[in-house]
Amino acid sequence: MTLIATSRQRLFPPLDEEKRNFLVEIERKWQRIWQEKKVFEADPDPSRPKYFVTFPYPYINAYPHLGTAYTVLRVDILARYKRMRGYNVLFPQGWHATGGPIVAAALRVREGDRKQIEILKSMGIPESEIKKFEKPEYWVEFFRGGFKEDFQRYGLSIDWRREFFTTYLNPPYTKFIQWQYSRLRKLGLVTRGTHPVVWCPKEGKVVGDHDRPDEYAGIGPEEVIIIKFRGEDGYVYPCLTYRPETVYGAVNVWVNPEATYTVAEVDGEVWILGNYAIEELRSQGHRVEVRGAVKGRELVGHFAVNPVTKWRVPVLPAEFVDPEAGTGVVMSVPAHAPFDYVAIEDLRKDPNILARYDLDPGILEILKPISLIELEGYGEVPAETVVRRMRIASQLERDKLEEATRELYAKEYYTGTLKKDIYGERWGGRKVFEVKEEIVDFLVKLGYALTHFTLPRPVYCRCGTRTHVKVVHDQWFLRYSDPAWKQRAHSCVERMSIIPEELKKEFHKIIDWYKDWACAHEG
Ligand SMILES: [Zn+2]
């Protein structure tokens, strides 16, 4: 619990040495007596009621901070109160060292990463000691010592005989975890299957929340659809979308004119792809061989076929398209996608853009929005309605457009009705969320599309590498999706008394939110 000098000066009046020494002396005296008399050591004693307290083991990749002191103090107060009430109180302490953060930090030290080394130095670790931190094991040893010393000087009433830490460095703990897992397996709650995971290609490992900076926590693989628009140029334009049902109104394909695309053979077809997609497709069982490169602008003006409507649709330039997201190629559905609506408006407003690519202005005629989904209060062209209400003037207003997209997507997904004149008897008149999966199956079965997993936005590993989604086979996972388990977990939470009471519903929410959790790392 080190306070840096400047804030120390600001926080405290000039030091009265004598008073300080007097107080420290009292502190040391009583801490020594507690230790000698073993007052916090709890042994079985049938004559007294027992009471157990615990402070969730802190992660020991740094010294404790003030938040640690604040939280553990509450545990200590409870322990002392219960002792005074005659309880036999057990207060053990563990240290959590498992997982990516320590390994990744050690790797960064090994690679001479300045930022990581500065972090260690800012904790008061001298230059000469830094080399030792190249080994993850040393982090565990070092900060475990630092934590314990601080906790002892803080006067916490812990039974230090019951101190333990995680990882293979402590074989009994490893055995305990193995016992838990084999028990869960017997109960059918640990199973094996195909599973999409967030993957670091550099380290060749699954990147859990612990293995990435906090800003990327909680972002996981999402299922998307890649719809293949076959170009008259022989290329496949693989349009990645969250809304495959809207392909019925796709009037053009967008590429970023300034980007360099890869021409790659994917499962025997020649695809146009952004670089990011290459590894992600490979990681999901596709054979991808790079054949060459092409500038986005060279593709502008080519034509491709919408696989469902069989319309001949142009490939057009749009700056909003991020070549490093998804496949880098998207279909354009101006009636229901705000980005597409605005990008087409941009083409209308500035004739120079079309002229720059030698495009006939007559092309604008075929870019009219095709209304697919009935949405109350949003008129014939919902994207136009939202864009006008939010006063979005150009495709470069990314934040507003993302907000507009979120609003429209959620509204149309849950309350939008597919129009009969477009979707016929099969899906017309039904809600989007009811038939989306059926439409996907239909597109996949006819070879128009394939399912794929990607991340909704870039996620970086702690080692600094951008991750992508890999589909692993024979992946072990904890079946948090199991309905019987969820029900039991809910009823356990109901039986607990939680303070403050309102927090109870958060526990229930988390139980519902849990999905299957990849629990053994490949590679
Ligand atoms: Zn990594």
Side-chain angles (χ1 to χ4, degrees), residues 200 202-203 205 207 461-465:
C200 171
K202 184 175 172 193
E203 295 175 281
K205 65 163 199 188
V207 179
C461 177
R462 266 186 203 269
C463 78
T465 307

Side-chain angles (χ1 to χ4, degrees), residues 81-360:
Y81 171 76
K82 286 290 183 183
R83 274 190 207 101
M84 286 191 263
R85 302 285 303 223
Y87 285 84
N88 185 18
V89 174
L90 174 59
F91 183 0
Q93 187 57 52
W95 314 115
H96 176 28
T98 309
I102 287 175
V103 174
L107 178 69
R108 283 198 297 271
V109 175
R110 207 147 63 231
E111 289 176 346
D113 181 290
R114 288 319 302 169
K115 206 170 139 201
Q116 184 62 57
I117 290 168
E118 283 312 313
I119 291 172
L120 286 172
K121 283 192 187 161
S122 74
M123 291 192 250
I125 292 156
E127 178 86 55
S128 56
E129 293 286 298
I130 299 287
K131 210 171 156 43
K132 294 182 181 166
F133 288 86
E134 292 179 1
K135 280 207 174 74
E137 289 84 353
Y138 188 72
W139 287 68
V140 180
E141 183 192 325
F142 184 86
F143 286 114
R144 184 180 145 217
F147 258 91
K148 184 173 179 179
E149 198 186 318
D150 278 349
F151 273 32
Q152 282 177 325
R153 285 190 54 202
Y154 198 33
L156 298 173
S157 61
I158 291 164
D159 181 350
W160 286 106
R161 298 172 307 167
R162 324 289 190 138
E163 180 200 4
F164 66 94
F165 61 104
T166 69
T167 77
Y168 74 92
L169 297 173
N170 179 7
Y173 191 84
T174 302
K175 275 285 166 216
F176 166 60
I177 298 298
Q178 282 170 354
W179 171 80
Q180 279 188 327
Y181 272 81
S182 57
R183 176 121 184 84
L184 287 166
R185 197 179 163 194
K186 273 186 202 123
L187 294 170
L189 291 170
V190 176
T191 48
R192 206 149 49 156
T194 300
H195 200 68
V197 295
V198 180
W199 186 258
C200 171
K202 184 175 172 193
E203 295 175 281
K205 65 163 199 188
V206 178
V207 179
D209 274 352
H210 262 290
D211 309 311
R212 42 180 120 163
D214 290 345
E215 62 200 285
Y216 303 113
I219 306 172
E222 291 186 1
E223 195 181 50
V224 291
I225 307 299
I226 294 173
I227 302 180
K228 298 194 269 187
F229 282 59
R230 291 179 192 278
E232 292 172 354
D233 51 18
Y235 296 142
V236 168
Y237 291 84
C239 299
L240 185 139
T241 179
Y242 283 83
R243 307 189 60 188
E245 71 282 3
T246 63
V247 66
Y248 286 80
V251 296
N252 67 286
V253 168
W254 295 120
V255 293
N256 186 315
E258 298 312 317
T260 302
Y261 285 87
T262 299
V263 179
E265 204 177 304
V266 179
D267 303 331
E269 299 167 333
V270 184
W271 288 23
I272 296 295
L273 286 171
N275 288 315
Y276 171 78
I278 296 170
E279 279 307 309
E280 196 165 67
L281 283 163
R282 278 184 182 145
S283 293
Q284 297 184 30
H286 299 281
R287 200 167 42 80
V288 184
E289 280 167 52
V290 174
R291 290 276 178 257
V294 60
K295 271 278 185 196
R297 79 169 79 90
E298 293 172 48
L299 301 166
V300 170
H302 291 200
F303 277 83
V305 175
N306 178 325
V308 174
T309 62
K310 310 298 178 198
W311 297 331
R312 221 176 144 245
V313 301
V315 177
L316 294 174
E319 287 175 76
F320 80 81
V321 175
D322 180 356
E324 294 304 316
T327 53
V329 180
V330 291
M331 64 181 188
S332 164
V333 186
H336 301 281
F339 272 105
D340 302 336
Y341 181 84
V342 172
I344 290 173
E345 285 296 291
D346 286 352
L347 291 182
R348 277 186 218 286
K349 277 185 279 190
D350 184 359
N352 291 328
I353 304 175
L354 291 180
R356 200 180 306 148
Y357 299 102
D358 267 337
L359 293 169
D360 180 348

